[in-house]
Amino acid sequence: MKKCILPVILLALLSGCGKVSDASGVESRINIVSGIVEGTTRSRTTSETEAMTDGHTTGSTTSKTAGEKVSGTTTTKSKKSSVQAATRASGGNSGGSRGTTRHVPTVQRTTTTAAQPTSQTPAIDPKDYSSITFELNSSSNEIDVSREGMSGSIQVLKDVDLTEIRNTIANDPSKTINDFIVRQNDFDFDGYPDLFIIEKQDELNKTGKYYRYDPTKGIYAAWSELNGLGFEIVPNATENSLTIYNKKDTLNYEAKTFEWNEHQLLVLRRYVNQYNDGELIETVLYDENGIESSRETKDSQGNPVGGETEDPSAEDLS
């Protein structure tokens, strides 16, 4: 046994001689430690640690045990490197395990915020008619209808004769289109005021166009039933009736009173003709279907007058 020790030592010394240089030219010393350990168990353990920093790498240590001989080699070297730090470990005599841990750079989080609309169309209540305004269009024969808080017009009234209105405004700068619009009367008794636009007027009568307010859309609709009557209408909310007057002069006139039936159609219910300078008044009544039910003539004191009247132009509405 002693004869074998000396060659082993010499062999270890020869294998440990020399210098190790890395790629950067920096020399590292190699230290060799060898010895003899009594034992009969054969095992092998390998561990390797490598640490890489900004500019240096600190090397590895390996130890082996085989029978009665133990040899170890420790190598330390410096190496410039820009690689991020990493640690690896391996070992074990039953297959072992191997793992790697790396530094993962933090990724900057990007947050996206949904762009908010810069402007929104304001919601309107179609039942609210208080914010509606009117303006005479200077470049066309139209009336622009707008709502406060909304840009542009919500509708245009095109079928109004503006000839007399324009002439009046041109001659009297204090007048505006609003002086010719009557908007406080509710002609169908639904709780929403409608429009009467005065196209022509004199000392006795007014004529013009009617528009019904539509509370489901918030706009005005041309009203064919009332436009067929022509003259200004006086509503009576107590009787739910509409009366128009056609005045001949201060004493003589005709008056027709209408009511809405269940089908929302106008039905004539009464006709009054005052003539002979107000001395005679003829009254004709009609049922709910518009059929004449009675007719009588009275004097200015309310006394019945029989026979024919002196007014041959009295209208026969039967």
Side-chain angles (χ1 to χ4, degrees):
M1 176 67 69
K2 295 181 178 179
K3 293 180 179 180
C4 296
I5 293 175
L6 183 58
V8 171
I9 295 174
L10 293 175
L11 180 61
L13 291 174
L14 291 174
S15 62
C17 294
K19 297 181 180 180
V20 178
S21 301
D22 58 9
S24 61
V26 179
E27 296 183 350
S28 301
R29 289 186 174 274
I30 300 176
N31 300 320
I32 300 175
V33 179
S34 62
I36 299 174
V37 178
E38 297 290 338
T40 58
T41 303
R42 183 180 182 87
S43 63
R44 180 175 180 177
T45 302
T46 302
S47 64
E48 180 181 78
T49 303
E50 180 178 326
M52 288 174 282
T53 61
D54 293 340
H56 295 85
T57 298
T58 303
S60 61
T61 301
T62 304
S63 63
K64 295 183 180 179
T65 301
E68 299 176 352
K69 179 180 178 182
V70 176
S71 64
T73 302
T74 302
T75 304
T76 303
K77 57 183 177 179
S78 298
K79 181 179 181 180
K80 294 183 179 180
S81 173
S82 60
V83 182
Q84 296 293 330
T87 302
R88 292 181 295 178
S90 61
N93 48 354
S94 60
S97 63
R98 188 179 186 91
T100 301
T101 303
R102 293 184 179 274
H103 174 73
V104 179
T106 303
V107 179
Q108 188 174 8
R109 178 177 297 177
T110 301
T111 303
T112 303
T113 304
Q116 298 296 326
T118 56
S119 62
Q120 295 181 349
T121 302
I124 66 167
D125 180 4
K127 297 181 179 180
D128 180 17
Y129 51 84
S130 62
S131 63
I132 293 179
T133 59
F134 303 89
E135 184 176 356
L136 186 62
N137 193 311
S138 59
S139 61
S140 64
N141 196 42
E142 299 170 347
I143 298 175
D144 294 328
V145 184
S146 305
R147 278 186 180 273
E148 293 180 3
M150 297 182 65
S151 60
S153 58
I154 60 174
Q155 72 173 124
V156 176
L157 305 181
K158 299 181 178 181
D159 55 348
V160 180
D161 184 359
L162 297 175
T163 304
E164 187 170 309
I165 296 176
R166 287 186 180 279
N167 291 336
T168 303
I169 293 176
N171 295 325
D172 186 353
S174 66
K175 298 287 185 180
T176 68
I177 186 62
N178 294 291
D179 294 309
F180 302 88
I181 298 179
V182 180
R183 54 183 301 180
Q184 73 271 14
N185 293 324
D186 181 9
F187 297 116
D188 57 357
F189 310 106
D190 64 349
Y192 300 94
D194 307 300
L195 292 185
F196 172 58
I197 302 178
I198 305 170
E199 294 176 319
K200 297 179 180 180
Q201 60 181 333
D202 52 36
E203 294 179 356
L204 298 174
N205 299 300
K206 297 177 182 179
T207 60
K209 292 293 190 306
Y210 288 90
Y211 293 86
R212 176 184 176 272
Y213 186 73
D214 186 346
T216 64
K217 298 180 180 179
I219 60 175
Y220 293 95
W223 212 336
S224 59
E225 292 93 339
L226 300 191
N227 288 331
L229 303 179
F231 295 97
E232 182 180 19
I233 296 174
V234 179
N236 186 328
T238 303
E239 298 180 357
N240 285 341
S241 64
L242 306 175
T243 301
I244 61 171
Y245 293 90
N246 181 12
K247 299 175 182 179
K248 312 295 183 179
D249 52 42
T250 57
L251 297 176
N252 302 303
Y253 68 89
E254 291 180 341
K256 297 178 182 179
T257 300
F258 298 85
E259 294 179 6
W260 298 100
N261 66 9
E262 58 183 358
H263 303 293
Q264 292 302 304
L265 298 175
L266 281 179
V267 177
L268 179 63
R269 299 302 303 270
R270 183 169 63 251
Y271 169 76
V272 176
N273 180 27
Q274 180 170 305
Y275 58 98
N276 197 25
D277 292 337
E279 293 296 325
L280 297 173
I281 303 172
E282 179 184 20
T283 303
V284 183
L285 300 179
Y286 301 85
D287 63 17
E288 62 273 11
N289 297 314
I291 299 175
E292 183 179 330
S293 59
S294 67
R295 181 189 292 260
E296 65 179 1
T297 302
K298 296 181 179 181
D299 60 20
S300 58
Q301 282 73 40
N303 300 315
V305 176
E308 294 184 359
T309 65
E310 297 180 1
D311 184 8
S313 62
E315 185 174 347
D316 183 7
L317 300 177
S318 59

